[in-house]
Amino acid sequence: MAQRARGRDRGKGGRGQDGWRMRAAKTSSPPPTPGRPITHVGSGSNSKAESNVMGSSTKAASKWVITEKPIWNIKENISCDEDNSQKEEVSNFTKYEKLNEFVKTLTSLSESHVDDLNVALSKRGYIAPGLIFQNKIKYAGNISLHSPVSSSPLRARALSFSLIELSIIGRMASGAAGRATLGLTKPAAIEVPQVSFSAKEIDFAEWKGDLLAIAVSESDMSKDEDLKFLNSILKRLDGQLNGLLSDASIEEDFKGKNGQSIILRLPGFGFRRLGLVGLSQSATSVAATHRDIGEAIAAVAKAAQASSAAIILASTNGISEEFKLTAASAISIGIVLGLHEDNRYKSESKKPYLKSVDIIGLGFGPELDNKLKYSNAVSSGIIFARELVNSPANVLTPAVLAEEASKVASVYNDVFTAKVLDVEQCMELKMGSYLGVAAASSNPPHFIHLCYRPPSGDVKTKLAIVGKGLTFDSGGYNIKTGPACSIDLMKFDMGGSAAAFGAAKVHFIVAACENMISGTGMRPGDIVTASNGKTIEVNNTDAEGRLTLADALVYACDQGVEKIVDLATLTGACIVALGSSIAGIFTPSDELAKEITAAALLTGEKFWRLPLEDSYWESMKSSVADMVNSGGRQGGAILAALFLKQFVNEKVQWMHIDVAGPVWNDKKRTATGFGVSTLVEWVLKNSS
């Protein structure tokens, strides 16, 4: 897309090195030679390069002087005189890779900082001039470049770095070049509630602590003619309280319905408060029921400001020994998620009081203890996914999403490696579909590949999880408009990638970018070419997620994987079909469908398999390309899945999961972390 834009330019200018023309300076001298320092002499230049950054303008160099001093001694070339206290060293390379080599040598920055600096300076392969001052580097201004096949200037817009100074001796503001600065917003660190869980088989009446919580159903609240509880646990407890529990339930009209709760203060007892929590009887699985219990108990603990709690089920009827592990695990996950609040962007926040929880009556021993530790890890992954999705687009740019993936690889470097492909590398892989979507944004795309390898080296099954990674989706030229477009929530268009990183095992692939509008952007009617050679007529720029996934799926297949699951907030049609709490799954593989369904049964997340109706593909055919990227209004979720199918090797088992509904909780206006726990279970099952 960038090449197409260059080809349209017309104008004049002298030819510079590598076939490019320059008009940044009034001189007949050649442009700088890579690897050699350039000294700008003479401060009386009248030549100006217009700046579209913050309304400022910057003087261009009037003469180039090539010096013979080695690049690493460039500070020695800086001198001062009476007229100009700091003479500039101007470096102007038009090739991204040459800038990369230059900056590495010049500043001796770390690899990650060099990458950040390159991201800041690059504009699809072009750079703004670096104005190098004594002991500091400052980036600002414009340069006019000319294509060898045309003659009018193509502005390489300088980024807003006139306010950012970087030390030449290697000190760099933390992430400044790679992080978005719009609004000057910096999130606080992610804080996962730290709760210690233990499983016990003790008499609940003997437990001592802040809060004893009992989960009850409507049937548990049944009473006899004398208004005595029929349930043995409630009957015993009510007897110890001289009927207080029965009286309170009547006064508060507590019937054990889902969402109901009461708290009683009990001075003189080992537990200072007693809480009754109604549990859902409509949940589809043991895991879903008990995760709801955990979240309800977390709410009661918050209200009571309890630092310690114990949980007991009034009735364990219907829970087999096999599922007690699942029930205990789900309760612990529900408690952590119920306690968690995303306060990173609030000026004031409260930390949860709850620090320890005893789960009574669901067994005990090493197996259950290990399960609870596992649940804590899953909770952390879900919260990580939630906070990625919650992050606004001015903070979570494609570069920052790539940085988060790299952090995972850095922390767990014994099993993880991270590879992040830049624009040039994606061009080499011919990812035209993905790059077409990214073309309009000033935030460059980052193609992220996070790879897990078991420490033993014994790889049983090669899996890939591919997540849609649109950090913001404006809709492009088919811009999102109207009250129902939810453009303010389009930060969650990377919910699929968040689930992938939250699961963090095997190959995780995310084509991260933004879908924006600009003169370099993809337009309706454009034809893009995916990395498998198939051509796509873009009849709707707001059907962009499938374009990025197309190249990501091809890349995943090229890794030699046996199974691929992709997750994407892909269609509103899936929400219309299944509502806001159920994800749609599409796959030609019955085996893979059974695996995901079995995993979901253990996590309580809801999925429903929808058909891949091949006859619908007729509406996706183009008269000028292999296909269009958007069909008719009917069966939109199916058409999107059929589109993705065109980019998957037939030998690979593949599933597409449309998470547009359950990735976001409209009532709470927050992300859910949907998909993480199911993906983890699926990966573990394939590795066992």
Side-chain angles (χ1 to χ4, degrees), residues 126 192 251 675:
Y126 310 120
V192 177
E251 290 176 8

Side-chain angles (χ1 to χ4, degrees), residues 271-533:
F271 43 91
R272 287 186 282 276
R273 289 179 177 83
L274 173 67
L276 294 185
V277 177
L279 60 86
S280 172
Q281 294 181 312
S282 61
T284 57
S285 69
V286 171
T289 298
H290 292 81
R291 183 162 155 175
D292 288 346
I293 291 173
E295 293 195 21
I297 290 172
V300 171
K302 280 182 181 179
Q305 296 186 354
S307 63
S308 61
I311 302 162
I312 184 170
L313 306 183
S315 177
T316 56
N317 296 334
I319 303 179
S320 66
E321 291 298 322
E322 178 184 355
F323 279 98
K324 282 187 177 181
L325 281 174
T326 300
S329 173
I331 288 173
S332 66
I333 290 175
I335 288 175
V336 174
L337 298 183
L339 291 174
H340 170 253
E341 294 180 6
D342 189 354
N343 294 318
R344 293 170 300 150
Y345 300 98
K346 295 181 179 180
S347 56
E348 296 181 2
S349 62
K350 295 181 180 180
K351 294 184 179 181
Y353 293 92
L354 193 60
K355 299 300 179 185
S356 65
V357 175
D358 294 332
I359 301 175
I360 300 173
L362 291 177
F364 68 100
E367 185 179 10
L368 186 49
D369 290 340
N370 288 334
K371 186 69 172 179
L372 292 175
K373 290 179 182 178
Y374 157 82
S375 301
N376 257 340
V378 172
S379 300
S380 297
I382 294 171
I383 288 172
F384 179 51
R386 281 183 174 184
E387 299 207 351
L388 285 177
V389 176
N390 281 339
S391 293
N394 65 319
V395 173
L396 190 76
T397 61
V400 174
L401 186 59
E403 182 181 318
E404 292 297 332
S406 297
K407 285 179 183 177
V408 172
S410 177
V411 173
Y412 304 102
N413 56 22
D414 56 330
V415 291
F416 275 108
T417 58
K419 179 192 296 184
V420 180
L421 307 182
D422 59 23
V423 174
E424 297 293 333
Q425 291 167 308
C426 290
M427 289 179 67
E428 290 175 5
L429 294 175
K430 301 181 179 179
M431 295 182 177
S433 184
Y434 164 51
L435 293 177
V437 175
S441 178
S442 60
N443 289 312
H446 288 66
F447 191 96
I448 306 163
H449 180 192
L450 187 63
C451 184
Y452 170 88
R453 299 183 189 279
S456 64
D458 182 18
V459 178
K460 296 181 179 180
T461 307
K462 291 185 178 181
L463 309 175
I465 298 173
V466 178
K468 176 184 173 184
L470 268 292
T471 56
F472 187 77
D473 176 22
S474 70
Y477 279 103
N478 292 108
I479 192 169
K480 297 178 185 292
T481 57
C485 73
S486 299
I487 193 170
D488 59 316
L489 297 180
M490 284 303 106
K491 62 183 183 180
F492 73 44
D493 224 17
M494 41 66 64
S497 64
F501 292 150
K505 299 268 182 193
V506 294
H507 287 280
F508 302 92
I509 297 164
V510 173
C513 65
E514 293 179 331
N515 184 26
M516 302 296 284
I517 302 173
S518 78
T520 63
M522 180 177 64
R523 299 150 301 193
D526 284 356
I527 295 176
V528 297
T529 304
S531 48
N532 65 347

Side-chain angles (χ1 to χ4, degrees), residues 114 349 392 681:
V114 169
S349 62
E681 288 289 346

Side-chain angles (χ1 to χ4, degrees), residues 660-671:
V663 78
W664 187 259
N665 186 320
D666 273 324
K667 185 177 180 180
K668 297 180 179 179
R669 291 190 62 81
T670 189

Side-chain angles (χ1 to χ4, degrees), residues 54 117 120 131 133 136-140 159-167 172-173 175-181:
M54 304 176 67
L117 193 55
L131 304 180
F133 295 96
K136 292 187 176 180
I137 306 174
K138 187 178 285 188
Y139 296 99
L159 302 180
S160 304
F161 277 77
S162 57
L163 300 179
I164 296 178
E165 296 180 343
L166 308 178
S167 169
M172 184 173 184
R179 289 189 179 275
T181 57

Side-chain angles (χ1 to χ4, degrees), residues 38 261 302 538:
I38 319 306
S261 64
K302 280 182 181 179
V538 181

